[in-house]
């Protein structure tokens, strides 16, 4: 599992996921907000399986590789 989620992408995923969960706990949105766990996990592990079929990678290149 090579990382394919960059720093900005990672930060946005974690913030959005936490906001969805917080909104669910506060009763603002329904139980579907628990799906916020998915962007949090992909942000923490820096790997998104949905990026693979499309060849996406938001990580910065290192050392000109």
């Amino acid at each position: 599992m090579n990382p394919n989620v960059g720093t900005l992408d990672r930060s946005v995923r974690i913030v959005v996921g936490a906001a969805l969960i917080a909104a669910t706990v506060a009763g603002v949105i329904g139980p579907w907000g628990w799906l916020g766990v998915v962007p949090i996990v992909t942000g923490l592990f820096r790997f998104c399986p949905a990026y693979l079929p499309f060849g996406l990678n938001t990580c910065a290149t290192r050392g000109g590789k």
Side-chain angles (χ1 to χ4, degrees):
M1 267 186 357
N2 292 331
N4 62 1
V5 175
T7 305
L8 179 62
D9 190 3
R10 182 181 190 190
S11 300
V12 170
R13 287 170 182 265
I14 293 171
V15 168
V16 168
L20 280 171
I21 292 171
T24 300
V25 170
V28 176
I29 59 176
W32 63 269
W34 288 108
L35 289 174
V37 170
V38 174
I40 290 175
V41 169
T42 58
L44 291 175
F45 286 106
R46 298 188 63 200
F47 179 76
C48 179
Y51 278 7
L52 292 177
F54 303 106
L56 295 174
N57 185 349
T58 59
C59 288
T61 58
R62 293 184 184 175
K65 292 182 181 178

